[in-house]
Amino acid sequence: MSALIETRTSGAPPLESRTRMRLVAAAPSLWRVVEPGGRVIGHLQEVAQAGSIRFRARRYNPAAHVFRDLGDFWNADDAVECLAFAR
């Protein structure tokens, strides 16, 4: 069993220029992923796992009133891409 510990960074992780999404701070180590038109498509959460930093893609499920984890990724770009393609 691995322990998940939330980490706190100084600002949002940088995204490559190929994405038009932007990150808006929601809480320490948590950002809303926002499309160019202003629509929130999910959340990006930074977690420490086995001594390294991972990025968790999360999407809100309004029918169940809960967030669903879509996966953990080694970089923020992959997590944002997952949210974009999982719409």
Side-chain angles (χ1 to χ4, degrees):
M1 181 165 115
S2 64
L4 294 177
I5 302 168
E6 291 190 32
T7 62
R8 183 177 178 132
T9 62
S10 58
L15 296 178
E16 290 184 13
S17 60
R18 72 174 192 256
T19 182
R20 293 178 26 209
M21 305 291 178
R22 62 186 172 92
L23 301 177
V24 177
S29 303
L30 182 70
W31 300 272
R32 289 182 186 93
V33 180
V34 182
E35 291 181 318
R39 181 175 171 235
V40 176
I41 63 166
H43 286 85
L44 178 70
Q45 181 179 17
E46 186 181 84
V47 294
Q49 189 174 32
S52 63
I53 301 297
R54 302 288 301 263
F55 296 94
R56 180 170 296 150
R58 306 185 81 202
R59 164 108 359 101
Y60 185 68
N61 182 331
H65 302 288
V66 296
F67 280 92
R68 303 272 187 218
D69 294 342
L70 300 180
D72 290 354
F73 301 88
W74 289 111
N75 62 59
D77 288 299
D78 290 345
V80 169
E81 207 169 289
C82 174
L83 286 166
F85 289 119
R87 285 186 272 166

